[in-house]
Amino acid sequence: MKVRKAVLAGLAATAVASLVLAGCSSSDDTDSTPSSSAATSGDAMASGGVIRTNGSEPENPLIPTATNETGGGKILDAMFAGLVYYDGTGAAHNDLAESITQVDPTSYEIKIKPDQTFTNGEPVVASSFVDAWNYGALASNAQNSSYFFEDIEGFSYEEDSELTGLTVVDDLTFDVKLNKEASDFPLRLGYSAFYPLPASAFEDMDAFGANPVGNGPYMLAGPDAWQHDVQIELVTNPDYTGERQPANDGLTIVFYATQDAAYADLLAGQVDVIDGIPDSSLQTYEADLGDRAVNQPAAIFQSFTIPQSLAHFEGEEGKLRRQALSMAINRDEITDVIFNGTRTPASDFTSPVIDGWSDSLDGAEVLAYNPDEAVKLWAEADAMSPWEGTFQIAYNADGGHDAWVDAVNNSIKNTLGIEASGNPYPTFGEFRTDVTDRTIDTAFRTGWQADYPGLFNFLGPLYATNAGSNDGDYSNADFDALLQQGNTAADAATANGFYQDAQEILLQDLPAIPLWYSNVNGGYAEGVNNVQFGWNSVPLYYEITKG
């Protein structure tokens, strides 16, 4: 007789027990704001209970499994309801799930709540999840978040293969069979890759991505609600029955060109809440806003990545140069001068607000400023193949990254005596296109805003072989094996031990150069109430009121 174990009820107490209030889909645009400006006016603010906030033009069509950056993720999380949602502290709660029951170490039975609908009237049933996950997993669909289905039986990176581990039992029940144990699988189910889709989406996925039909607290205000490079307008969904009931009348996300523009509009009362403060205002915004200023830890990690195939960065020479570059960066000075203490120098690849984080990993000294050792290692690499040219870090100029990129490059230049500079792209979309297409020929800024509150989420999606957000194409079999051991561990503490061991490999290989952990710095306008920023730095928009 199989022992059946109820999972979700105790999830918050185990996987997120020590979480401190503090991240997207996952995204590597975590420090950025917006890709294009939007005109604001007094008329726009006359919408009463409609909350205006900052955002960025989505990189891709608004299909849950196609989206792995914060601009699109913020919108999808407002428009869709999954099996699970995360509250402000990162604790997991059932949303559409009636129950998530572990049948054996690799099998789950999922029951969804009855009488749920999409905003076009279609019912949300078991096949809404199964069909959506199968679409996201198919290799030919090339979805950015396909990696999240890797642990389900039948998944393949190489060819189209149905997820044979998914079985519809009845309209409200489906079973999940994993190909290996994944200790945090239930915790993952609040991430957007696991959202359901209506049957009509599969008739024309391109059309759906342009005008998505969700089932969450908000929905598109109309067929022209998404004004590209300007804003997107959402209204409340009267048929949503979950716990994230909106206390306002809607949400307008404005795609600003710069953080400075968003902050100026906040001071002028033209926007209600923003989740980014420009570098130029970090020293003054708390005085400007008083108790309406927000400065709290968040599950955000910043880095830059050097592609594995870049000249001088392959093999042993590449390892030496990565370590030298890391030790040439004065993180303490940069976080103090550029960010006014709103960033903390990184000591690992995750976030201090996540259960299992450690600041005492073996090899973490490579993240400390050590100019003498940096020069020594760079010289050892030069003995293998002399350096030539300029070291560059690419970034999107619309995201407020100029100052820190310049500071990092100046630190490298002054320490190693080489030419170093930034390589700005006008917009986040242009930047991400070259990263995704692997046409970028320099190092580039990266980062991660957690999808769900677990150490694995900072490691697997970014550095596991073939992972969807592994933009540097890193691969290490020993690292992959430790991730798998963590996934099959009996409890969270044991799993976190394996994830810490895996990070010690990363500290040797440095597939990305960790820089700092970010606080969320934001604020809200006068007359705006009930503002809470969540563990992942995103405001809980459904709670906000004004007037």
Side-chain angles (χ1 to χ4, degrees), residues 31 180 241 254 338 363 446 466:
D31 246 12
K180 52 184 177 292
T241 63
V254 182
I338 301 297
T446 42
N466 293 322

Side-chain angles (χ1 to χ4, degrees), residues 96 98 112-118 121-125 171-172 215 238-242:
L96 261 67
E98 189 75 56
I112 62 176
K113 295 175 180 176
D115 303 321
Q116 305 298 306
T117 61
F118 293 98
E122 291 185 50
V124 180
V125 292
D171 278 352
L172 299 179
N215 63 317
D239 296 324
Y240 173 70
T241 63

Side-chain angles (χ1 to χ4, degrees), residues 147 305-310 313-315 318-319 322 349 438 444 458-483 501-513:
Y147 173 81
T305 293
I306 305 172
Q308 298 290 308
S309 58
L310 207 61
F313 287 98
E314 296 180 270
K319 182 180 290 189
R322 293 166 197 273
F349 287 78
R438 303 302 192 261
F444 53 92
F458 283 87
L459 304 176
L462 277 76
Y463 311 115
T465 302
N466 293 322
S469 296
N470 186 347
D471 292 331
D473 297 320
Y474 174 70
S475 180
N476 184 305
D478 292 335
F479 172 79
D480 291 343
L482 284 167
L483 287 188
D501 291 345
Q503 287 198 79
E504 292 178 354
I505 293 177
L506 297 184
L507 287 167
Q508 292 297 315
D509 294 347
L510 291 176
I513 310 296

Side-chain angles (χ1 to χ4, degrees), residues 261-276:
Y263 186 58
D265 271 2
L266 180 68
L267 294 177
Q270 297 297 315
V271 68
D272 296 309
V273 58
I274 63 173
D275 57 7

Side-chain angles (χ1 to χ4, degrees), residues 204-228:
D204 188 338
M205 196 60 75
D206 289 339
F208 178 86
N211 286 282
V213 173
N215 63 317
Y218 297 94
M219 61 184 185
L220 288 177
D224 299 319
W226 183 1
Q227 302 171 53
H228 292 279

Side-chain angles (χ1 to χ4, degrees), residues 55-374:
S56 57
E57 173 72 20
E59 178 187 359
N60 299 305
L62 287 172
I63 301 167
T65 51
T67 299
N68 65 344
E69 44 78 33
T70 54
K74 183 182 291 187
I75 299 167
L76 288 172
D77 289 344
M79 292 186 63
F80 282 83
L83 295 166
V84 170
Y85 80 93
Y86 310 115
D87 67 17
T89 69
H93 300 262
N94 282 354
D95 202 343
L96 261 67
E98 189 75 56
S99 63
I100 301 173
T101 304
Q102 187 170 11
V103 179
D104 60 45
T106 60
S107 299
Y108 295 85
E109 179 189 75
I110 297 175
K111 289 186 175 293
I112 62 176
K113 295 175 180 176
D115 303 321
Q116 305 298 306
T117 61
F118 293 98
T119 56
N120 64 354
E122 291 185 50
V124 180
V125 292
S127 60
S128 306
F129 289 93
V130 170
D131 292 346
W133 297 6
N134 266 304
Y135 177 87
L138 285 179
S140 63
N141 289 331
Q143 297 293 283
N144 288 327
S145 293
S146 63
Y147 173 81
F148 282 88
F149 306 106
E150 181 187 51
D151 291 338
I152 299 177
E153 194 175 81
F155 180 87
S156 172
Y157 282 113
E158 306 302 326
E159 58 185 8
D160 281 354
S161 176
E162 182 182 2
L163 295 176
T164 55
L166 300 180
T167 304
V168 174
V169 177
D170 56 45
D171 278 352
L172 299 179
T173 310
F174 66 102
D175 292 338
V176 180
K177 177 68 175 176
L178 305 181
N179 52 41
K180 52 184 177 292
E181 293 181 53
S183 57
D184 67 350
F185 179 74
L187 185 62
R188 303 176 192 178
L189 296 176
Y191 178 50
S192 58
F194 296 100
Y195 288 159
L197 291 176
S200 57
F202 304 98
E203 298 172 6
D204 188 338
M205 196 60 75
D206 289 339
F208 178 86
N211 286 282
V213 173
N215 63 317
Y218 297 94
M219 61 184 185
L220 288 177
D224 299 319
W226 183 1
Q227 302 171 53
H228 292 279
D229 297 324
V230 178
Q231 65 183 23
I232 191 166
E233 296 175 280
L234 307 178
V235 295
T236 57
N237 173 14
D239 296 324
Y240 173 70
T241 63
E243 295 179 6
R244 294 181 295 149
Q245 287 293 327
N248 49 63
D249 297 323
L251 181 63
T252 295
I253 301 173
V254 182
F255 306 148
Y256 284 98
T258 65
Q259 289 181 322
D260 293 276
Y263 186 58
D265 271 2
L266 180 68
L267 294 177
Q270 297 297 315
V271 68
D272 296 309
V273 58
I274 63 173
D275 57 7
I277 300 295
D279 296 346
S280 59
S281 300
L282 285 175
Q283 291 187 340
T284 61
Y285 86 101
E286 289 180 299
D288 291 342
L289 299 177
D291 59 8
R292 294 180 288 111
V294 176
N295 181 13
Q296 68 183 48
I300 302 175
F301 165 84
Q302 292 291 326
S303 59
F304 67 86
T305 293
I306 305 172
Q308 298 290 308
S309 58
L310 207 61
H312 294 290
F313 287 98
E314 296 180 270
E316 186 61 25
E317 179 194 354
K319 182 180 290 189
L320 290 169
R321 293 201 188 278
R322 293 166 197 273
Q323 293 174 352
L325 288 166
S326 180
M327 287 189 280
I329 301 168
N330 192 335
R331 294 169 178 80
D332 288 315
E333 183 178 83
I334 293 170
T335 54
D336 183 51
V337 174
I338 301 297
F339 294 115
N340 198 44
T342 60
R343 308 289 188 273
T344 302
S347 57
D348 81 330
F349 287 78
T350 66
S351 166
V353 305
I354 300 297
D355 184 30
W357 173 81
S358 172
D359 62 355
S360 57
L361 299 174
D362 287 346
E365 61 272 10
V366 75
L367 305 183
Y369 182 50
N370 189 339
D372 291 339
E373 185 67 12

